[in-house]
Amino acid sequence: MAEQGTRRRARGGGGAARRAERTAVKVEAARYIERNIPNLEILNDEALEIIEANAETVLAEIGVNFVENPEALRRWREAGAEVEGERVRIPRGLARELCKTAPANYTQHARNPERSVEIGGGNLVLAPVYGPPFVRGHRSGRRYATIDDFRDFVRLGQMSKWLHHSGGTVCEPTDIPVNKRHLDMLLAHMTLSDKPFMGSVTEPSRARDSVEMCEILFGKDFVRDNTVMTSLVNINSPLTFDATMMGALEVYAAANQACILSPFIVGGAMAPTTVAGTLTQVTAEVLAGVAYSQLIRPGAPVIAGAFVTSIDMNSGAPTFGTPEASQITYGMGQIVRRLGLPYRSAGAFCGSKLPDAQAGYESANSLNMGLLAGVNFMLHACGWLEGGLVASFEKFVMDADQLGVLHQIAKGIDLSENGQAMDAIREVGPGGHYLGCAHTQANFQSAFWRSQVLDYKPFEQWFEEGARDTATLAAARVEKMLADYQQPPLDPAVDEALTAYVAERKASMSDAIG
Amino acid sequence: MAEQGTRRRARGGGGAARRAERTAVKVEAARYIERNIPNLEILNDEALEIIEANAETVLAEIGVNFVENPEALRRWREAGAEVEGERVRIPRGLARELCKTAPANYTQHARNPERSVEIGGGNLVLAPVYGPPFVRGHRSGRRYATIDDFRDFVRLGQMSKWLHHSGGTVCEPTDIPVNKRHLDMLLAHMTLSDKPFMGSVTEPSRARDSVEMCEILFGKDFVRDNTVMTSLVNINSPLTFDATMMGALEVYAAANQACILSPFIVGGAMAPTTVAGTLTQVTAEVLAGVAYSQLIRPGAPVIAGAFVTSIDMNSGAPTFGTPEASQITYGMGQIVRRLGLPYRSAGAFCGSKLPDAQAGYESANSLNMGLLAGVNFMLHACGWLEGGLVASFEKFVMDADQLGVLHQIAKGIDLSENGQAMDAIREVGPGGHYLGCAHTQANFQSAFWRSQVLDYKPFEQWFEEGARDTATLAAARVEKMLADYQQPPLDPAVDEALTAYVAERKASMSDAIG
C-alpha cells in the first residue's frame, strides 16, 4: 500500500490528484421544477374571452387545412366538422370539447426512474436546443454539425444538473444520411444519457422506429402502458397541418406516446403583427391540433405549444428575447391553462451569432418569461444560438447554468422559523455583521444559488488569471464536463439489441436523401 | 452662398454630409413607463403579515441606532419612541403610523416640463448607474473616472430614448477634490441634460448647495413649492442611520425635496442569509427611515428602497442577478405597496468585469424582475458593471437599449379591433403569409420593438462586416451618440448664474479631502 502510494506520487501527484478528483465526480441531476410561486397573468377574463371567441370564429368560418391526408379528413368529417377539399371547418365548441379527453398532466418515463418527469400542473421540465444544422465551438468556430457533436451535446446534457431532459435533435448530424439520422440520434440518447428524450417526427416510419427502439429499451409491455417519449409536432402556420407531421402524430398518439403540438411562428410572416391576433391564431391552431390527436386516440398525452418570435422590419430576420414574444408567451399560458393542458413555450432564445452580451440579454429575457408564464415543457432551454441555426457548446453550458436561477426562484420564500431568522437579527443587532453569527454558519452553504460558469472573483484575481470573458470560461467548463462525463450504466443485452436494431434498419435503407 | 458651399465641399464632402446628418438627429425621449400589466406577487397575505409583524418586533425590541445625531434622538423621543443612548426602540405601529403622511406618489420636475416624471403608482422611472469610481471604455479599458467621463455619461443619458432620468453620481469624478465634486456634477446634469436629476448626499452642506443650485435653475418659488430632486439616502444595514446621510435627508425633507431611503444589503453580511429574514430587516429599516423623514416634515416625498444582493460563499464577493435578490425584490414590492409608498429597487446589476454574456444574463434577470416587481424608481438601470465598481460606456448603451423591452412589455396587450386582427387572419387564410397583407402593411412600422444596438443581420452579412460582438457594436453606438449629442437649450443668464455659483463656492473651499 505504502509502495503504491509512493509510486503514484513518483508518477506525478498532480495527475493522480486529478484522477482521484475525476473519480469522485458526482453527476447531479435536479428534479424538475415544481413551482411554489404564482404565474404572471397579463390578460384579464374579458380579454381571454375575446381571444377564445375569435379563435372559435377562425375554426368555424375560416377553418384549417389538413394537407394530403384523406384519413384525417375522414376523421374530422365523422367528428362533425365541415370538410371541403382539404379545408376543415370546425363548428364552435367542437375542438374544445374534443380536447377534454387529453390529460392535464402525464409522466414521461426515463430509463432511470429517478429522471422521469411529470409534465403539467405547476411543473417545469427543461430540455435542450432542437434542430440546428450548425454547431459553434470556442476553438472550432461555426461549422456543420456531425454525429460526434450530437453525442457530445447528449453527454453535456447528461452532466447538466439543472437540465431534466435529453431532448431530441440537439443538432442535425449532417454527416449521416437524412433517412438514417434518427437511428443514431435515438441510440445516443438511449445509451449516453439516462434522462427522458424525444422521438423522430420527420416521417411516420421514423416515428415507428422510435417506438420500436423504445420497446427494446423499456420493454414492449412498459411502452404499451406508459409514455416514454415526448416528440415535437410542428403546425405549419397559418392554420395548416401537413401529412408528415400529422403522420408522426398519428403513430405516437396511437402508441400513447406524447406529442407537443406547436405552431412555429415568426410574427408578421406566419401570423398577424399584433399580439392579440397571434394569440387568436395560435389558439385556433392548438385547438385543432390537440383535438385531432384526440380523434386518433382519446386520452393520448399532448402538450399545447407556442413557439413565437417577431420579425425585424429592417432585415426580415426573426428576432428573439423581444417584448412581443414575452407578451404572447404570458397570454398563451393563460389560454392553455384554461384548456387544462400542459404548456410548451420559451427557451434560451437569441439572435446573436456569438455567446456574447446579446445572447445573455435575449436568453435571460426568454428564460425568465418562460418561468413566470407557467410553461410546463421548455424546449431550447440551453444551447440555442443564432436564431436556432447553431447549437453552441459554450452557450449550452452557460444557459444550463442559468437554469439553476429558475429552480431557485420557483422554490418561493421559506417562512419557517429558520427562514424568518429572527434569532439572527437579535444576535447581530444594529451595526453588527452577519458573517459570523450562528444562523449564518448554519445556513451559509445552501443559502445562495451559485453559478458554476460565471465569474465572481475580485478584479485583480480575474485579471491575473487571464481576464477571461464568459465565453472563454464556458469553453473551459465544456471541456471539464466532457472530461468528467460518466456513461450511465445500461444492461449490456439491451445495449447490444439497440445497436443491432440500428444496424439492421440502416442495412435495409439506401443512402437516399429525404 | 455658393462660394461658401464650394468651400465646404472642398474641405471634404463627407464632413458636410455628416454635419447635415447630425443636424437631422432627433433626440427622442420616451415618457416614463405606465404599467398596463399586473405585478408578480410571490408572497401571500399570511406571509406578508408574518414579515410585517416581525419587522415591528425588530423595531420595538431590538430598535435602530441613530448615530451622532442628538437632534434625531430628540425627535424620536418626542414622537413616543424609547431612546437609550443612540438606540431608538419604536413601539409597535408607531413607525407605520408616521409613514402615513408620506405621499403615495409625487412629481419630480425637470427643467424641460416634458421630461418631468411621476413617481409612484403603476409607474416606472428609469435612472442610470450611481457611484462607480472607475469607468471602462472599449478602447481605454478600465481606469479611474474623471469629470470628462461624467459629462459624457450625462450626454449619453440625454440621448438615451428609454432613460427618463439623468441620475446622480453616474461615476465619481476622481480628478476633482471630494468636497467640490458635487458642484461640477450638478452643473453637468443641469446644463448638459434637461431630464430630472439627483442631489448630493455626502454632506448636509452639499445637500444645501444642491438646493441652492436648483433655486437658480428653477427659481426660488418653484423649488419651495415643487420637488425638483430625488436623492439617494442609504441606510447602514443592519439597522443603523448615520449622521451624514441623515443630515442630507434632514436638508432635503425640510426643503420638500425627495429622498430614497434605501438599505444597501449584501445578504449574509448586512442581513440574514434567508430571504424572509432579509425582508424583515429591510422592512424595519425602511419603516424607521421613512418615519424619520416624516418627523422632519410631514408630507415630505420619499421612496422606500431595497438594494439587495447576495454573497458568493467561495470568494466573499457580492453577486448579482441572482434568484434570492429577485425574490427579495418581488417580496419587498408587495410590502412597500401595502405601506402606500413609491418603491425603489432593481437595476442592470451584474458582477461581470466585461460587458459580456454574464453581464447580459445577470442584468436581464434584474431588469425583468424590476419591471414585474412593481418598482417605481429604478436606479442603476444602465451602465452598471463589475458589482458597481465600474461605469461602462458600452454597458450603458446596451442596457439603455434593453430598457425599451420593459416599455413594450409594460404596455400590455392591445385588444382593439386592429389588435385582434381578425381581418388579417381572414385575408391570409390557411397556408398564406402575412408579409403583404393590408393589416401588416398598416402596422409593420410600429408592430415590433427593435433594438438599436443588437445584431439582427444574417450570418453572412454580419461576418463580412467584421463579425462584431455586442460590446464592439455598443462601442460604435457610444461614439455615434456622443457625436450626435445636442445640448438642450438653457437660458444663458441661468447658465451664467450656475457657473458663477460653482466658481464662488469652490473659491470658498480648500482642496481638502472629505
Side-chain angles (χ1 to χ4, degrees), chain B residues 209-254:
Chain B
D209 289 346
S210 306
V211 173
E212 285 176 12
M213 286 181 75
C214 280
E215 288 173 346
I216 298 171
L217 182 66
F218 290 94
K220 269 199 171 182
D221 291 352
F222 193 86
V223 172
R224 192 189 55 230
D225 299 336
N226 296 282
T227 298
V228 296
M229 282 180 286
T230 298
S231 305
L232 179 63
V233 169
N234 278 321
I235 300 166
N236 281 8
S237 297
L239 303 168
T240 303
F241 296 79
D242 71 44
T244 304
M245 284 285 167
M246 288 305 104
L249 171 67
E250 287 153 15
V251 171
Y252 285 128

Coordinates of all heavy atoms in Angstrom, one line a residue, chain B residues 209-254:
Chain B
D209 N -26.1 73.0 -1.0 CA -25.6 73.5 -2.3 C -26.6 73.0 -3.4 O -26.9 73.8 -4.3 CB -24.2 73.0 -2.6 CG -23.1 73.7 -1.7 OD1 -23.5 74.7 -1.1 OD2 -22.0 73.2 -1.7
S210 N -27.0 71.8 -3.3 CA -27.8 71.2 -4.4 C -29.2 72.0 -4.4 O -29.6 72.3 -5.5 CB -28.1 69.7 -4.1 OG -26.9 69.0 -3.9
V211 N -29.7 72.3 -3.3 CA -31.0 73.0 -3.2 C -30.8 74.4 -3.8 O -31.6 74.9 -4.6 CB -31.5 73.1 -1.8 CG1 -32.7 74.0 -1.7 CG2 -31.9 71.7 -1.3
E212 N -29.6 75.1 -3.4 CA -29.4 76.4 -3.9 C -29.2 76.5 -5.4 O -29.7 77.4 -6.1 CB -28.2 77.1 -3.2 CG -28.6 77.5 -1.8 CD -27.4 78.0 -0.9 OE1 -26.3 78.2 -1.5 OE2 -27.6 78.1 0.3
M213 N -28.5 75.5 -6.0 CA -28.3 75.4 -7.4 C -29.7 75.2 -8.1 O -29.9 75.8 -9.2 CB -27.3 74.4 -7.8 CG -25.9 74.8 -7.5 SD -24.6 73.6 -8.0 CE -24.6 73.8 -9.8
C214 N -30.5 74.4 -7.5 CA -31.9 74.2 -8.1 C -32.7 75.5 -8.0 O -33.5 75.8 -8.9 CB -32.6 73.1 -7.3 SG -32.1 71.5 -7.9
E215 N -32.4 76.3 -7.0 CA -33.1 77.6 -6.9 C -32.7 78.5 -8.1 O -33.6 79.3 -8.6 CB -32.9 78.3 -5.5 CG -33.6 77.5 -4.4 CD -33.3 78.0 -3.0 OE1 -32.3 78.7 -2.9 OE2 -34.0 77.6 -2.1
I216 N -31.5 78.4 -8.5 CA -31.0 79.2 -9.6 C -31.7 78.6 -10.9 O -32.2 79.4 -11.7 CB -29.5 79.2 -9.8 CG1 -28.8 79.8 -8.5 CG2 -29.0 79.9 -11.1 CD1 -27.3 79.7 -8.5
L217 N -31.7 77.3 -11.0 CA -32.2 76.7 -12.3 C -33.7 76.8 -12.4 O -34.2 77.1 -13.5 CB -31.8 75.2 -12.3 CG -32.2 74.4 -13.5 CD1 -31.4 74.9 -14.8 CD2 -31.9 72.9 -13.3
F218 N -34.4 76.6 -11.3 CA -35.9 76.5 -11.4 C -36.5 77.8 -10.9 O -37.7 78.0 -11.1 CB -36.4 75.4 -10.6 CG -36.1 74.0 -11.1 CD1 -35.0 73.3 -10.7 CD2 -37.0 73.4 -12.1 CE1 -34.7 72.0 -11.2 CE2 -36.7 72.1 -12.6 CZ -35.6 71.5 -12.1
G219 N -35.8 78.6 -10.1 CA -36.4 79.7 -9.4 C -36.8 79.3 -8.0 O -37.2 78.2 -7.7
K220 N -36.5 80.3 -7.0 CA -36.7 80.0 -5.6 C -38.2 79.6 -5.3 O -38.4 78.6 -4.6 CB -36.4 81.3 -4.8 CG -35.0 81.3 -4.3 CD -34.8 82.2 -3.2 CE -33.4 82.1 -2.6 NZ -33.0 82.9 -1.5
D221 N -39.1 80.3 -5.9 CA -40.5 80.0 -5.6 C -40.9 78.6 -6.0 O -41.6 77.8 -5.3 CB -41.5 81.0 -6.3 CG -41.3 82.4 -5.7 OD1 -40.6 82.5 -4.6 OD2 -41.9 83.3 -6.2
F222 N -40.4 78.3 -7.2 CA -40.7 76.9 -7.8 C -40.2 75.8 -6.9 O -40.9 74.9 -6.6 CB -40.2 76.8 -9.2 CG -40.7 75.6 -10.0 CD1 -41.9 75.8 -10.7 CD2 -40.1 74.4 -9.9 CE1 -42.5 74.7 -11.3 CE2 -40.6 73.3 -10.6 CZ -41.8 73.4 -11.3
V223 N -39.0 76.0 -6.4 CA -38.3 74.9 -5.6 C -39.0 74.8 -4.3 O -39.2 73.7 -3.7 CB -36.8 75.2 -5.4 CG1 -36.2 74.3 -4.4 CG2 -36.1 75.1 -6.8
R224 N -39.5 76.0 -3.7 CA -40.2 75.9 -2.5 C -41.5 75.1 -2.6 O -41.9 74.3 -1.7 CB -40.6 77.3 -2.0 CG -41.1 77.4 -0.5 CD -41.6 78.8 -0.2 NE -42.6 79.2 -1.2 CZ -42.7 80.3 -1.9 NH1 -41.8 81.3 -1.7 NH2 -43.7 80.6 -2.7
D225 N -42.2 75.2 -3.8 CA -43.5 74.6 -3.9 C -43.4 73.2 -4.6 O -44.5 72.5 -4.7 CB -44.4 75.5 -4.7 CG -44.6 76.8 -4.0 OD1 -44.5 76.9 -2.8 OD2 -44.9 77.8 -4.7
N226 N -42.3 72.9 -5.2 CA -42.2 71.7 -6.0 C -41.0 70.8 -5.7 O -40.0 71.3 -5.2 CB -42.2 72.0 -7.5 CG -43.5 72.7 -7.9 OD1 -44.5 72.1 -8.1 ND2 -43.4 74.0 -8.0
T227 N -41.1 69.5 -6.0 CA -40.0 68.6 -5.9 C -39.2 68.6 -7.2 O -39.7 68.3 -8.2 CB -40.5 67.2 -5.5 OG1 -41.2 67.3 -4.3 CG2 -39.3 66.2 -5.4
V228 N -37.9 69.0 -7.1 CA -37.0 69.0 -8.3 C -35.8 68.1 -8.2 O -35.0 68.0 -9.1 CB -36.6 70.5 -8.6 CG1 -37.8 71.4 -8.9 CG2 -35.8 71.0 -7.4
M229 N -35.7 67.4 -7.0 CA -34.6 66.4 -6.9 C -35.2 65.2 -6.1 O -36.0 65.3 -5.3 CB -33.5 67.0 -6.0 CG -32.6 68.0 -6.8 SD -31.2 68.6 -5.7 CE -32.1 69.7 -4.7
T230 N -34.6 64.0 -6.5 CA -34.8 62.8 -5.8 C -33.4 62.3 -5.5 O -32.6 62.0 -6.4 CB -35.6 61.8 -6.6 OG1 -36.9 62.3 -6.9 CG2 -35.7 60.5 -5.9
S231 N -33.0 62.2 -4.2 CA -31.6 61.9 -3.8 C -31.6 60.6 -3.0 O -32.5 60.2 -2.4 CB -31.1 63.1 -3.0 OG -31.2 64.3 -3.8
L232 N -30.4 60.0 -3.0 CA -30.2 58.7 -2.5 C -29.6 58.7 -1.1 O -28.5 59.0 -0.9 CB -29.3 57.9 -3.5 CG -29.1 56.4 -3.0 CD1 -30.3 55.6 -3.0 CD2 -28.0 55.8 -3.9
V233 N -30.5 58.3 -0.1 CA -30.0 58.3 1.3 C -29.9 56.8 1.7 O -31.0 56.1 1.8 CB -31.0 59.0 2.2 CG1 -30.7 58.8 3.6 CG2 -30.9 60.5 1.9
N234 N -28.7 56.3 1.9 CA -28.5 54.9 2.2 C -28.7 54.7 3.7 O -28.2 55.6 4.5 CB -27.1 54.4 1.8 CG -27.1 54.0 0.3 OD1 -28.1 53.4 -0.2 ND2 -26.1 54.3 -0.3
I235 N -29.3 53.6 4.1 CA -29.3 53.2 5.5 C -28.2 52.2 5.7 O -27.9 51.4 4.8 CB -30.7 52.5 5.8 CG1 -31.8 53.5 5.5 CG2 -30.7 51.9 7.2 CD1 -33.2 52.8 5.4
N236 N -27.4 52.3 6.8 CA -26.3 51.4 7.0 C -26.8 50.2 7.7 O -26.9 50.1 8.9 CB -25.3 52.1 8.0 CG -24.4 53.1 7.2 OD1 -24.6 53.4 6.1 ND2 -23.4 53.6 7.9
S237 N -27.1 49.2 6.9 CA -27.6 47.9 7.5 C -26.5 47.2 8.3 O -25.3 47.2 7.8 CB -28.1 47.0 6.4 OG -29.1 47.7 5.7
P238 N -26.8 46.5 9.3 CA -28.2 46.4 9.9 C -28.5 47.6 10.8 O -27.8 47.9 11.7 CB -28.1 45.1 10.7 CG -26.7 44.9 11.0 CD -25.9 45.6 10.0
L239 N -29.7 48.2 10.5 CA -30.5 48.9 11.5 C -29.7 50.2 12.0 O -30.0 50.6 13.1 CB -30.9 48.0 12.7 CG -31.7 46.8 12.3 CD1 -31.8 45.8 13.5 CD2 -33.1 47.2 11.8
T240 N -28.9 50.8 11.1 CA -28.1 52.0 11.6 C -28.3 53.1 10.6 O -28.3 53.0 9.4 CB -26.6 51.6 11.7 OG1 -26.5 50.5 12.5 CG2 -25.8 52.8 12.2
F241 N -28.5 54.3 11.2 CA -28.7 55.6 10.4 C -27.6 56.5 10.8 O -27.6 57.0 11.9 CB -30.1 56.2 10.7 CG -31.3 55.3 10.3 CD1 -31.6 54.2 11.1 CD2 -31.9 55.5 9.1 CE1 -32.7 53.3 10.7 CE2 -33.0 54.6 8.7 CZ -33.3 53.6 9.5
D242 N -26.7 56.8 9.9 CA -25.5 57.6 10.2 C -25.8 59.1 10.1 O -26.8 59.5 9.4 CB -24.3 57.2 9.5 CG -24.3 57.5 8.0 OD1 -24.7 58.6 7.7 OD2 -23.9 56.7 7.3
A243 N -25.0 59.9 10.7 CA -25.3 61.4 10.8 C -25.2 62.1 9.4 O -25.9 63.0 9.1 CB -24.3 62.0 11.8
T244 N -24.2 61.6 8.5 CA -24.1 62.2 7.2 C -25.3 62.1 6.4 O -25.9 63.0 5.9 CB -22.9 61.6 6.5 OG1 -21.7 61.7 7.3 CG2 -22.6 62.3 5.2
M245 N -25.7 60.8 6.2 CA -26.9 60.6 5.4 C -28.2 61.2 6.0 O -29.0 61.8 5.3 CB -27.1 59.0 5.2 CG -26.1 58.4 4.3 SD -26.5 58.8 2.5 CE -25.0 58.3 1.7
M246 N -28.3 61.1 7.3 CA -29.5 61.7 7.9 C -29.4 63.2 7.8 O -30.5 63.8 7.7 CB -29.6 61.2 9.4 CG -30.0 59.8 9.6 SD -31.5 59.3 8.8 CE -30.9 58.4 7.4
G247 N -28.2 63.7 7.9 CA -28.1 65.2 7.7 C -28.6 65.6 6.3 O -29.3 66.6 6.2
A248 N -28.2 64.9 5.3 CA -28.7 65.2 3.9 C -30.2 65.0 3.9 O -30.9 65.9 3.3 CB -28.0 64.3 2.9
L249 N -30.7 64.0 4.5 CA -32.2 63.8 4.5 C -32.9 64.9 5.2 O -33.9 65.4 4.7 CB -32.5 62.4 5.2 CG -34.0 62.2 5.5 CD1 -34.8 62.0 4.3 CD2 -34.2 61.0 6.4
E250 N -32.3 65.4 6.3 CA -32.9 66.5 7.0 C -33.0 67.8 6.1 O -34.0 68.4 6.1 CB -32.1 66.8 8.3 CG -32.4 65.7 9.4 CD -31.2 65.5 10.3 OE1 -30.3 66.4 10.4 OE2 -31.2 64.4 11.0
V251 N -31.9 68.0 5.4 CA -31.9 69.2 4.5 C -33.0 69.0 3.4 O -33.8 69.9 3.2 CB -30.6 69.4 3.8 CG1 -30.6 70.5 2.7 CG2 -29.5 69.8 4.9
Y252 N -33.0 67.9 2.8 CA -33.9 67.7 1.7 C -35.4 67.6 2.1 O -36.3 68.2 1.5 CB -33.6 66.4 0.9 CG -32.3 66.6 0.0 CD1 -31.3 65.7 0.1 CD2 -32.3 67.6 -0.9 CE1 -30.1 65.8 -0.7 CE2 -31.1 67.8 -1.7 CZ -30.1 66.9 -1.6 OH -29.0 67.1 -2.4
A253 N -35.7 66.9 3.2 CA -37.1 66.8 3.6 C -37.6 68.1 4.0 O -38.7 68.5 3.7 CB -37.2 65.8 4.8
A254 N -36.7 68.9 4.7 CA -37.2 70.3 5.2 C -37.5 71.1 3.9 O -38.4 72.0 4.0 CB -36.1 70.9 6.0

